[in-house]
């Protein structure tokens, strides 16, 4: 059963013990639950809560709701599903904790089919995104997100983290292009070295709007051709993106008409980006998910040959 070693706890075991205990005596189970989690770091406590939430049967939830502390816990879990999860410092202390953390997020946030695939030990890729301005690094992008390969190489329980970006860089924004009268289309993009325009004019103001993949669940397969001279992956169905229509470099509720379900098709790929070991980093992303070129071979090895996988993208903090 659950081991409460605060350095390398068995969070899956703790969640299972709690789920079983609730059906017998919810008050006693709650008392033990709080004692088990008391010494854990906040990110590990949150992981344990997510794992317990997805393990509870409906009879167990009904029983838990009969205890005031249990009713508060169910409400807490409901509210946490609506917020952004904490992205703790990486790497984790152990592969077991890393896998438990990622699995808890998949079970909480992904579509049921993806959650079921993970339980079956199938390959799955998790994207953990931190909000970053497209103007960062003079519009060349930064690798401050992560792509996590779970159950790679057909190895159940394996976890591999890769630095990545899941957001576009401003070098591909029409706002960084030269204006007819001099300067830039948007003066805020003065320091950006423009490459080419990507996007869709969803608010019909005459300027293409940069987009990023909307957090959610997608299914990816390998593309039948090379992209940027290497293997790449695309979604099996049309994707949904959110657009930076006000051009401030962020994707927020302040952007009118921000949700775009038609303008991108399947073109938000997963592919290699520029290397991380240079003084000047360039992610090569116009909205795709990119992994640094020098780490990309290891990423491909983790995926294996001709992979087919759910990709679960989560906005974290």
């Amino acid at each position: 059963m659950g081991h409460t070693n605060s350095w390398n706890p068995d969070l899956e075991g703790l969640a299972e013990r709690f789920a079983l205990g609730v059906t017998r005596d919810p008050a006693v189970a709650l008392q033990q639950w709080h004692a088990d989690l008391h010494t854990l770091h906040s990110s590990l406590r949150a992981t344990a809560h997510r794992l317990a939430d997805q393990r509870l049967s409906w009879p167990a939830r009904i029983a838990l709701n009969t205890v005031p502390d249990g009713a508060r816990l169910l409400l807490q879990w409901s509210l946490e599903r609506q917020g952004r999860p904490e992205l703790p410092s990486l790497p984790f202390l152990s592969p077991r904790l890393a896998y438990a953390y990622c699995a808890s997020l998949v079970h909480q946030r992904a579509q049921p089919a993806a959650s079921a695939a993970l339980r079956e030990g199938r390959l799955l890729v998790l994207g953990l995104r931190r909000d970053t301005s497209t103007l960062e690094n003079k519009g060349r992008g930064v690798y401050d997100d992560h792509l996590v390969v779970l159950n790679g190489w057909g190895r159940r329980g394996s976890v591999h983290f890769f630095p990545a970006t899941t957001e576009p860089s401003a070098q591909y924004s029409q706002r960084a292009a030269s204006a007819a009268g001099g300067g830039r289309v948007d003066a805020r993009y003065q320091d950006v070295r423009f490459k080419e325009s990507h996007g869709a004019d969803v608010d019909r103001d005459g300027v293409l709007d940069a987009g990023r993949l909307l957090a959610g669940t997608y299914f990816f397969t390998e593309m039948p051709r090379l992209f940027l001279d290497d293997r790449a992956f695309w979604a099996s169905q049309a994707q949904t993106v959110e657009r930076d229509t006000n051009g401030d470099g962020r994707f927020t509720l302040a952007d009118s008409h921000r949700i775009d379900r038609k303008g991108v098709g399947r073109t938000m790929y997963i592919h290699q980006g520029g290397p991380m070991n240079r003084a000047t980093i360039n992610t090569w992303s116009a909205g795709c998910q990119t992994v640094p070129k020098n780490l990309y071979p290891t990423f491909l090895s983790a995926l294996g040959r001709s992979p087919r996988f759910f990709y679960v993208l989560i906005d974290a903090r």
Side-chain angles (χ1 to χ4, degrees):
M1 302 302 285
H3 193 282
T4 56
N5 181 340
S6 60
W7 291 104
N8 191 21
D10 179 5
L11 301 180
E12 293 271 8
L14 291 176
E16 178 67 16
R17 181 168 69 183
F18 176 67
L20 292 174
V22 164
T23 60
R24 296 192 293 264
D25 189 324
V28 171
L30 280 166
Q31 184 178 17
Q32 182 64 53
W33 179 248
H34 293 313
D36 287 341
L37 270 56
H38 177 68
T39 61
L40 299 184
H41 184 274
S42 61
S43 63
L44 298 184
R45 287 199 301 271
T47 298
H49 279 294
R50 287 190 292 266
L51 291 170
D53 186 17
Q54 61 91 19
R55 283 179 178 271
L56 285 186
S57 63
W58 279 113
R61 290 180 186 277
I62 293 172
L64 192 59
N65 199 47
T66 62
V67 181
D69 194 21
R72 284 192 292 270
L73 185 60
L74 291 172
L75 177 59
Q76 173 190 329
W77 288 348
S78 176
L79 295 175
E80 286 176 352
R81 291 187 213 113
Q82 302 172 36
R84 296 191 176 196
E86 177 186 5
L87 180 57
S89 299
L90 301 173
F92 284 83
L93 293 176
S94 74
R96 179 170 70 179
L97 289 180
Y99 192 90
Y101 169 79
C102 293
S104 74
L105 290 175
V106 171
H107 294 318
Q108 183 190 58
R109 308 280 172 140
Q111 291 179 2
S115 180
L118 188 66
R119 288 194 184 93
E120 294 166 3
R122 292 162 53 190
L123 174 70
L124 185 143
V125 177
L126 173 65
L128 301 173
R129 176 162 63 198
R130 297 182 190 271
D131 280 332
T132 305
S133 171
T134 63
L135 294 164
E136 195 76 21
N137 189 26
K138 295 187 176 181
R140 293 185 292 261
V142 292
Y143 290 120
D144 62 346
D145 303 328
H146 283 85
L147 292 190
V148 190
V149 179
L150 301 170
N151 301 321
W153 297 312
R155 294 174 53 198
R156 190 181 188 121
S158 66
V159 54
H160 297 86
F161 286 82
F162 296 91
T165 189
T166 63
E167 296 174 302
S169 48
Q171 62 193 326
Y172 299 105
S173 173
Q174 185 182 353
R175 296 177 182 276
S178 298
R184 303 298 180 98
V185 172
D186 189 324
R188 293 172 294 182
Y189 290 66
Q190 191 65 38
D191 294 333
V192 177
R193 185 175 180 179
F194 175 69
K195 283 196 170 182
E196 58 187 32
S197 295
H198 288 259
D201 184 10
V202 294
D203 59 351
R204 299 182 181 180
D205 64 351
V207 179
L208 299 180
D209 304 304
R212 72 177 188 181
L213 193 60
L214 186 68
T217 303
Y218 304 87
F219 193 79
F220 273 70
T221 60
E222 189 159 341
M223 295 175 64
R225 58 182 175 84
L226 298 181
F227 187 81
L228 294 177
D229 300 321
D230 212 330
R231 296 166 59 194
F233 308 90
W234 62 350
S236 60
Q237 295 181 324
Q239 298 161 302
T240 300
V241 299
E242 48 188 343
R243 299 284 181 186
D244 175 22
T245 57
N246 65 13
D248 66 352
R250 301 280 184 177
F251 299 86
T252 69
L253 295 177
D255 295 304
S256 60
H257 309 287
R258 56 186 290 269
I259 302 301
D260 179 8
R261 304 184 187 280
K262 299 180 180 180
V264 73
R266 300 163 61 191
T267 62
M268 292 293 190
Y269 308 144
I270 297 175
H271 64 79
Q272 69 170 324
M276 278 193 71
N277 55 0
R278 291 183 178 177
T280 302
I281 290 176
N282 193 318
T283 61
W284 300 355
S285 174
C288 294
Q289 330 295 283
T290 70
V291 174
K293 185 175 184 178
N294 51 311
L295 299 176
Y296 199 64
T298 308
F299 175 72
L300 293 178
S301 295
L303 293 180
R305 296 181 179 179
S306 303
R308 300 167 57 84
F309 56 90
F310 283 104
Y311 174 52
V312 180
L313 177 60
I314 293 174
D315 289 326
R317 56 181 172 87

